[in-house]
Amino acid sequence: MTFLALPAPYNFDLSVERFRVFGRDLAVLWDDGAVYRSFAGREVRIAGAPGGVDVDPCDGATREHVLRLLGIEHDVAAFQAWAQTDPVLAGLIERLAGFRPPVIPDPWEQLVGVITAQQVSLVAAGAIRNRFIQRFGVQTGRVWAFPARAVVSKAEPDDLVGVGFSRAKAAATVALARSELDLEGLCELSDAEVRTALIAQKGLGAWSAEWFLARHLARPTAWPLGDLVLAKAAQSFYGVSAEELGPRLAPFQNLAAHYLLAGLRQP
């Protein structure tokens, strides 16, 4: 077991809350007070510890993956300093002390996740996601490795319909798996270039591209306009639309969105 420090303050349980609140996630599994993740064919256990997390097993590759999963790329300190002039965000920072939003390190996993979540509740999306994982993934201990792009590329849309995907989502997922889009290379592109590349893919729109920027690339100004829950948060906390609120939160729209959504879940 190896201890990994995270910038203070850090609250593990609060930060990984989204892996519990929408139901059991077989690929990012909350169990026995810890998060389990499959990495390079191994089950990795991540547990909260004062000032960071305990990771087992931990080596160079595992360390990088875990830190990315736990949102190390977010500049939370700069956001919190900036947000002190905003009464709403200042209050949320105080109430959610130690919150650091996680990210999904694998671009393929993030995109399949947003396709699954289109126009359904996150609880329903989670149930479909788990059936997809069990059908095409590999179990490692108590956790499952998310299905590989190469495996899904050999499937047919009807195979995904069989685990709960709509026909449109099944076709979009298989098309993405078979596409020539360099998902790993998207990190080298600007936000605008990422949006253009993703929206060109079947079944991916502006909402999907924005969540990819937010939850995989941790881009500071990502703002998933059109998200119904974010719209609810904007109205609840500020009394305005998400479209009006977005520019007011520059250049920290991404972290502001995460804090608003977490604050809405935990009144």
Side-chain angles (χ1 to χ4, degrees):
M1 182 179 298
T2 302
F3 172 74
L4 298 182
L6 286 158
Y10 181 68
N11 184 317
F12 175 74
D13 287 346
L14 182 61
S15 296
V16 301
E17 171 255 3
R18 71 180 308 269
F19 298 134
R20 305 189 302 271
V21 69
F22 300 117
R24 193 173 177 86
D25 185 333
L26 295 180
V28 192
L29 181 66
W30 174 265
D31 191 49
D32 192 28
V35 167
Y36 291 82
R37 178 82 170 166
S38 178
F39 181 71
R42 295 176 294 171
E43 178 188 86
V44 178
R45 183 178 188 270
I46 310 165
V53 292
D54 287 327
V55 181
D56 185 32
C58 186
D59 54 29
T62 304
R63 180 182 186 278
E64 181 181 356
H65 184 85
V66 169
L67 288 175
R68 287 207 67 212
L69 179 70
L70 298 179
I72 194 65
E73 293 164 289
H74 289 302
D75 193 348
V76 175
F79 162 71
Q80 292 181 342
W82 169 86
Q84 292 307 311
T85 59
D86 182 305
V88 171
L89 291 176
L92 286 173
I93 289 168
E94 181 178 0
R95 179 153 64 87
L96 303 173
F99 175 54
R100 175 175 288 272
V103 304
I104 299 301
D106 177 17
W108 159 251
E109 180 179 351
Q110 172 60 25
L111 286 175
V112 175
V114 294
I115 292 173
T116 307
Q118 291 169 357
Q119 299 179 324
V120 297
S121 73
L122 290 179
V123 173
I128 295 168
R129 169 186 165 91
N130 283 339
R131 291 196 294 270
F132 172 74
I133 289 169
Q134 289 178 306
R135 171 67 177 80
F136 297 102
V138 176
Q139 188 169 11
T140 307
R142 72 186 74 190
V143 70
W144 290 70
F146 193 80
R149 181 181 183 180
V151 171
V152 179
S153 71
K154 298 175 183 176
E156 295 299 329
D158 282 349
D159 297 327
L160 277 66
V161 171
V163 298
F165 281 61
S166 69
R167 293 205 172 273
K169 292 180 182 180
T173 302
V174 173
L176 178 65
R178 295 174 179 174
S179 75
E180 296 182 358
L181 181 62
D182 178 8
L183 297 182
E184 299 291 343
L186 290 173
C187 66
E188 304 294 334
L189 304 182
S190 69
D191 290 4
E193 290 170 330
V194 171
R195 292 184 184 103
T196 298
L198 293 181
I199 292 173
Q201 298 298 309
K202 180 177 182 178
L204 294 177
W207 178 86
S208 300
E210 216 62 27
W211 273 126
F212 181 86
L213 288 167
R215 286 196 169 137
H216 170 64
L217 294 179
R219 298 289 174 85
T221 61
W223 183 251
L225 193 63
D227 189 279
L228 295 179
V229 183
L230 184 59
K232 181 180 179 181
Q235 186 63 45
S236 176
F237 286 107
Y238 287 92
V240 300
S241 69
E243 184 174 13
E244 180 181 347
L245 181 60
R248 291 167 51 180
L249 301 177
F252 291 105
Q253 288 97 324
N254 187 1
L255 282 170
H258 279 93
Y259 271 75
L260 290 169
L261 292 173
L264 196 64
R265 291 195 300 268
Q266 302 185 44

Short mmCIF file of all heavy atoms in Angstrom, two decimals, residues 82 221 223 225 240-253:
data_model
loop_
_atom_site.label_atom_id
_atom_site.label_comp_id
_atom_site.label_asym_id
_atom_site.label_seq_id
_atom_site.Cartn_x
_atom_site.Cartn_y
_atom_site.Cartn_z
N TRP A 82 -10.45 32.60 -6.66
CA TRP A 82 -11.26 33.44 -7.56
C TRP A 82 -12.70 33.51 -7.09
O TRP A 82 -13.35 34.56 -7.15
CB TRP A 82 -11.18 32.86 -8.97
CG TRP A 82 -12.16 33.45 -9.94
CD1 TRP A 82 -12.01 34.58 -10.68
CD2 TRP A 82 -13.45 32.92 -10.27
NE1 TRP A 82 -13.13 34.79 -11.45
CE2 TRP A 82 -14.02 33.79 -11.22
CE3 TRP A 82 -14.17 31.78 -9.86
CZ2 TRP A 82 -15.29 33.56 -11.77
CZ3 TRP A 82 -15.42 31.55 -10.40
CH2 TRP A 82 -15.96 32.44 -11.34
N THR A 221 -12.75 25.88 -18.86
CA THR A 221 -13.92 26.64 -19.29
C THR A 221 -15.03 25.77 -19.87
O THR A 221 -15.99 26.29 -20.44
CB THR A 221 -13.53 27.72 -20.32
OG1 THR A 221 -12.97 27.09 -21.48
CG2 THR A 221 -12.52 28.70 -19.73
N TRP A 223 -18.37 23.98 -20.23
CA TRP A 223 -19.67 24.34 -19.65
C TRP A 223 -20.75 23.60 -20.43
O TRP A 223 -21.12 24.02 -21.53
CB TRP A 223 -19.87 25.85 -19.72
CG TRP A 223 -21.13 26.39 -19.10
CD1 TRP A 223 -22.21 26.92 -19.75
CD2 TRP A 223 -21.45 26.48 -17.71
NE1 TRP A 223 -23.17 27.33 -18.86
CE2 TRP A 223 -22.72 27.07 -17.59
CE3 TRP A 223 -20.76 26.11 -16.54
CZ2 TRP A 223 -23.35 27.30 -16.37
CZ3 TRP A 223 -21.37 26.34 -15.32
CH2 TRP A 223 -22.64 26.92 -15.23
N LEU A 225 -23.70 23.32 -21.57
CA LEU A 225 -24.98 23.98 -21.82
C LEU A 225 -25.95 22.97 -22.41
O LEU A 225 -25.58 22.19 -23.29
CB LEU A 225 -24.77 25.15 -22.78
CG LEU A 225 -25.93 26.13 -22.92
CD1 LEU A 225 -26.21 26.83 -21.61
CD2 LEU A 225 -25.59 27.17 -23.99
N VAL A 240 -31.03 32.34 -12.66
CA VAL A 240 -30.85 32.66 -14.08
C VAL A 240 -30.69 31.36 -14.86
O VAL A 240 -30.53 30.28 -14.29
CB VAL A 240 -29.61 33.56 -14.30
CG1 VAL A 240 -29.75 34.87 -13.53
CG2 VAL A 240 -28.33 32.83 -13.90
N SER A 241 -30.71 31.47 -16.17
CA SER A 241 -30.49 30.30 -17.03
C SER A 241 -29.02 29.93 -17.05
O SER A 241 -28.13 30.76 -16.78
CB SER A 241 -30.96 30.59 -18.45
OG SER A 241 -30.11 31.54 -19.07
N ALA A 242 -28.74 28.68 -17.41
CA ALA A 242 -27.35 28.24 -17.54
C ALA A 242 -26.65 29.00 -18.66
O ALA A 242 -25.45 29.28 -18.58
CB ALA A 242 -27.30 26.73 -17.82
N GLU A 243 -27.38 29.36 -19.70
CA GLU A 243 -26.81 30.12 -20.80
C GLU A 243 -26.34 31.49 -20.33
O GLU A 243 -25.26 31.96 -20.71
CB GLU A 243 -27.83 30.28 -21.92
CG GLU A 243 -27.29 30.98 -23.15
CD GLU A 243 -28.28 30.99 -24.29
OE1 GLU A 243 -29.47 30.68 -24.05
OE2 GLU A 243 -27.87 31.33 -25.41
N GLU A 244 -27.12 32.13 -19.46
CA GLU A 244 -26.73 33.44 -18.93
C GLU A 244 -25.61 33.30 -17.90
O GLU A 244 -24.72 34.15 -17.83
CB GLU A 244 -27.94 34.11 -18.28
CG GLU A 244 -27.65 35.49 -17.70
CD GLU A 244 -28.86 36.11 -17.04
OE1 GLU A 244 -29.98 35.60 -17.24
OE2 GLU A 244 -28.68 37.12 -16.32
N LEU A 245 -25.64 32.24 -17.13
CA LEU A 245 -24.67 32.09 -16.04
C LEU A 245 -23.27 31.76 -16.55
O LEU A 245 -22.27 32.22 -15.98
CB LEU A 245 -25.14 31.00 -15.07
CG LEU A 245 -24.24 30.73 -13.87
CD1 LEU A 245 -24.08 31.98 -13.01
CD2 LEU A 245 -24.80 29.57 -13.05
N GLY A 246 -23.16 30.96 -17.61
CA GLY A 246 -21.86 30.49 -18.08
C GLY A 246 -20.80 31.57 -18.21
O GLY A 246 -19.71 31.45 -17.62
N PRO A 247 -21.06 32.65 -18.97
CA PRO A 247 -20.03 33.70 -19.12
C PRO A 247 -19.63 34.36 -17.80
O PRO A 247 -18.50 34.80 -17.66
CB PRO A 247 -20.70 34.70 -20.06
CG PRO A 247 -21.73 33.91 -20.80
CD PRO A 247 -22.23 32.90 -19.81
N ARG A 248 -20.54 34.40 -16.84
CA ARG A 248 -20.24 35.03 -15.55
C ARG A 248 -19.25 34.21 -14.74
O ARG A 248 -18.62 34.73 -13.80
CB ARG A 248 -21.54 35.22 -14.75
CG ARG A 248 -22.47 36.26 -15.33
CD ARG A 248 -23.86 36.22 -14.72
NE ARG A 248 -23.88 36.24 -13.27
CZ ARG A 248 -25.00 36.22 -12.54
NH1 ARG A 248 -26.18 36.17 -13.15
NH2 ARG A 248 -24.93 36.25 -11.22
N LEU A 249 -19.11 32.93 -15.08
CA LEU A 249 -18.24 32.05 -14.32
C LEU A 249 -16.88 31.82 -14.98
O LEU A 249 -16.08 31.03 -14.49
CB LEU A 249 -18.93 30.70 -14.09
CG LEU A 249 -20.26 30.77 -13.33
CD1 LEU A 249 -20.89 29.39 -13.24
CD2 LEU A 249 -20.07 31.37 -11.95
N ALA A 250 -16.62 32.53 -16.07
CA ALA A 250 -15.31 32.42 -16.73
C ALA A 250 -14.23 32.99 -15.82
O ALA A 250 -14.46 33.97 -15.12
CB ALA A 250 -15.34 33.18 -18.06
N PRO A 251 -13.04 32.37 -15.78
CA PRO A 251 -12.58 31.24 -16.60
C PRO A 251 -12.63 29.90 -15.87
O PRO A 251 -11.80 29.03 -16.12
CB PRO A 251 -11.14 31.64 -16.88
CG PRO A 251 -10.70 32.27 -15.56
CD PRO A 251 -11.92 32.98 -15.03
N PHE A 252 -13.60 29.72 -14.97
CA PHE A 252 -13.66 28.50 -14.16
C PHE A 252 -15.02 27.82 -14.28
O PHE A 252 -15.54 27.30 -13.29
CB PHE A 252 -13.35 28.82 -12.69
CG PHE A 252 -11.93 29.22 -12.43
CD1 PHE A 252 -11.60 30.54 -12.18
CD2 PHE A 252 -10.92 28.28 -12.43
CE1 PHE A 252 -10.29 30.92 -11.93
CE2 PHE A 252 -9.60 28.64 -12.18
CZ PHE A 252 -9.29 29.96 -11.93
N GLN A 253 -15.59 27.79 -15.47
CA GLN A 253 -16.92 27.21 -15.63
C GLN A 253 -16.95 25.73 -15.23
O GLN A 253 -17.93 25.26 -14.63
CB GLN A 253 -17.40 27.35 -17.08
CG GLN A 253 -17.78 28.76 -17.48
CD GLN A 253 -16.67 29.49 -18.21
OE1 GLN A 253 -15.49 29.29 -17.88
NE2 GLN A 253 -17.02 30.31 -19.17
#
